[in-house]
Structure formats: structure tokens, C-alpha cells
């Protein structure tokens, strides 16, 4: 199916790895023009080196820096002639429980999650209003609906972002801007590779991953792949999803227990 994304311009934050990079690749495969950013210039350049340079713009940018985000989005609009879509993906999980989480952990987590949505949105909003198929997708997690005490700061922040996304879908609908969320479960990205190394369990990665899936109650018995999340993101960006707004799609292998 043609998703109608050819020659559309989409901004993807956090495109150096994982779901962000998979989303960049999926959009380019659909013929879209893509602008993506990351905090590490070398890592970003290495990740995107093999992608088509004529339809890709990359920039070093920290989503917590509003001025840098404004400059990045404006550069995107100037280069490609506008912005049709925004994927707010930048962020990470913080593996800490209540007793281990400091005041700085709480502050940093909330700043990253909310700045990671609000700064790109404020920068892109004038351009999105000018599009005839504007869409925003916030990459979130099932933690937003199903708290995990081992990631207490991340769970709380993600719940706030899910709530914010619902509000934004109502606020921006009159401007023709759709806002949706993709709530992922455990996805096999660099974060889990690092946690495997830190665990020093003696298990190889495949066995450790299977044990982790069983412990977390993942019905499909495995971690997800970044491209599996990216497919959902790209679908929600598509003009063919023009009547979908204010919703969240779980891409979690059945780990979600919430019926809402």
C-alpha cells in the first residue's frame, strides 16, 4: 500500500539509533524527506552514512535546548520547503526505584521527556499548520499506562507525556494537526545490550533476553525489534491515517495489561 508519504518532510528526533533510526529508514523507504538529530555528532554521522543524502538532513541537537531545536526545525523547513510530520523520539529510560532516585533524577527525567515533546512541537507548529496532512507521533512506552517500580521516574514522566499527547490532539485538531502516541514495550536496542553487559549474569545475550521476556510477562516471548515500532510510527504519520488522532498504539508483544 502506498502510504502517501513520498515527498513529505518529517522531522525525527533521536535518530542516531534504535527506534529513531529505524523510523528514519522506514520514512526514506516510503520516499519521504527526513531531518533527524542527535546529541553525538560522530554517532549520528556513522548511523546515517549509508542513507540517501539527497533526502536526508542531519544535525547535532539536544532537544532540551529550545534555541537549538528552533534552528534545526527552521533549517529543515528552509531545506525541504516545509514540515509535514514530527516524530518525538528522543529520550531514554532510567533504571532506578524510589529509594535510588534522587531529586536530580526526577528533575532530569521530567525535563528530558517534556522538553523532548514541547520544544520540537513549538518549533514545528507553524510549519505543520501550513501542511495539508500534518501529523505528530510521540514515541512513548507501555510504562505510561502500566507503571514499573524499577523505572519509577521514567514511568511517571511517560504517563505525563501520554496525558499531554491527548491534550495536544484536542488543542491542535482545529489547526489540522493530528497527534498520536506509539507505546512500545521492551525493544532490542542499545539500552538492553548495555544492561545485559552490566548484569554480568553469565548468560549469552539470547538466553538473557529470553529470561527477561519471561520475567516481564511478554506474551510473544521475545523483545521487539526497532523496525516493528517504526512501522506503527510511519503508519500514523501517513495521510491514510487521517481520521486517527488522540490515540495510542501499543507495540509491546502482548506485555500490556491495560485495557484502556
Amino acid at each position: 500500500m502506498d502510504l502517501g508519504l513520498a515527498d513529505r518532510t518529517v522531522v525525527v528526533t533521536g535518530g542516531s539509533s534504535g527506534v529513531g533510526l529505524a523510523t528514519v529508514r522506514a520514512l526514506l523507504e516510503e520516499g519521504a524527506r527526513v531531518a533527524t538529530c542527535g546529541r553525538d555528532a560522530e554517532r549520528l554521522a556513522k548511523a546515517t552514512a549509508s542513507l540517501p543524502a539527497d533526502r536526508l538532513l542531519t544535525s547535532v541537537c539536544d532537544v532540551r535546548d529550545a534555541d537549538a531545536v528552533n534552528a534545526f526545525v527552521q533549517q529543515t523547513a528552509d531545506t525541504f520547503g516545509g514540515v509535514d510530520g514530527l516524530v518525538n523520539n528522543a529520550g531514554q529510560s532510567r533504571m532506578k526505584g524510589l529509594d535510588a532516585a534522587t531529586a536530580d533524577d526526577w528533575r532530569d527525567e521530567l525535563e528530558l521527556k517534556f522538553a523532548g515533546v514541547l520544544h520540537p512541537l513549538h518549533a514545528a507548529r507553524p510549519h505543520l499548520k501550513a501542511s495539508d496532512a500534518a501529523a505528530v507521533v510521540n514515541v512513548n512506552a507501555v510504562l505510561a499506562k502500566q507503571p514499573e517500580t524499577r523505572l519509577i521516574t521514567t514511568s511517571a514522566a511517560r504517563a505525563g507525556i501520554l496525558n499531554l499527547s491527548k491534550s495536544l490532539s484536542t488543542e491542535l485538531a482545529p489547526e489540522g494537526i493530528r497527534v498520536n502516541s506509539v507505546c512500545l514495550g521492551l525493544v532490542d536496542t542499545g539500552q538492553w545490550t548495555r544492561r545485559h553487559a552490566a548484569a554480568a549474569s553469565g548468560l549469552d545475550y539470547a538466553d538473557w533476553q529470553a529470561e527477561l521476556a519471561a520475567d516481564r510477562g511478554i506474551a510473544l516471548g521475545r523483545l521487539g525489534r526497532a523496525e516493528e515500532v517504526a512501522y506503527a510510527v510511519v503508519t500514523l504519520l501517513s495521510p491514510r491515517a487521517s481520521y486517527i488522532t488522540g490515540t495510542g498504539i501499543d507495540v509491546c508483544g502482548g506485555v500490556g495489561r491495560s485495557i484502556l
Side-chain angles (χ1 to χ4, degrees):
M1 177 186 291
D2 179 3
L3 294 179
L5 289 167
D7 298 323
R8 298 282 185 181
T9 298
V10 182
V11 172
V12 180
T13 64
S16 299
S17 63
V19 171
L21 180 57
T23 300
V24 169
R25 287 174 173 155
L27 285 165
L28 289 169
E29 288 171 3
E30 291 294 327
R33 297 179 290 248
V34 182
T36 193
C37 64
R39 290 183 293 174
D40 187 316
E42 183 177 353
R43 187 181 183 198
L44 181 62
K46 183 177 180 180
T48 59
S50 63
L51 301 179
D54 60 321
R55 290 187 287 115
L56 179 65
L57 172 68
T58 63
S59 179
V60 177
C61 179
D62 187 330
V63 292
R64 292 170 293 192
D65 184 337
D67 291 339
V69 173
N70 287 338
F72 166 55
V73 173
Q74 188 58 54
Q75 181 187 15
T76 301
D78 291 343
T79 301
F80 294 134
V83 175
D84 301 291
L86 170 63
V87 179
N88 290 314
N89 170 72
Q92 60 186 11
S93 296
R94 194 178 299 262
M95 184 67 82
K96 287 189 176 182
L98 178 62
D99 292 336
T102 66
D104 284 341
D105 288 326
W106 283 100
R107 186 179 304 109
D108 291 347
E109 186 73 1
L110 292 169
E111 179 187 13
L112 175 59
K113 294 298 187 293
F114 281 88
V117 171
L118 292 172
H119 287 167
L121 177 64
H122 286 316
R125 185 176 177 181
H127 307 292
L128 292 169
K129 286 172 66 175
S131 172
D132 63 352
V136 176
V137 177
N138 295 324
V139 177
N140 206 323
V142 291
L143 295 176
K145 310 174 193 178
Q146 187 170 299
E148 167 58 71
T149 57
R150 288 171 285 193
L151 296 94
I152 195 167
T153 61
T154 299
S155 292
R158 290 201 176 281
I161 292 301
L162 190 62
N163 186 293
L164 174 64
S165 299
K166 189 71 170 181
S167 296
L168 292 174
S169 71
T170 301
E171 187 80 10
L172 300 179
E175 299 175 12
I177 303 172
R178 297 183 297 107
V179 182
N180 291 292
S181 301
V182 169
C183 297
L184 53 85
L186 276 65
V187 176
D188 188 7
T189 63
Q191 291 189 56
W192 289 107
T193 307
R194 292 190 292 272
R195 288 174 186 172
H196 167 249
S201 65
L203 297 174
D204 65 27
Y205 186 54
D207 289 339
W208 181 84
Q209 187 181 137
E211 188 175 271
L212 176 66
D215 176 66
R216 297 299 177 88
I218 301 174
L220 292 183
R222 64 174 177 85
L223 302 191
R225 298 186 298 274
E227 60 267 25
E228 292 175 310
V229 182
Y231 297 149
V233 173
V234 171
T235 298
L236 288 173
L237 289 170
S238 168
R240 294 193 179 275
S242 58
Y243 202 53
I244 302 175
T245 195
T247 195
I249 295 178
D250 292 352
V251 184
C252 63
V255 75
R257 297 292 181 266
S258 171
I259 61 172
L260 300 178

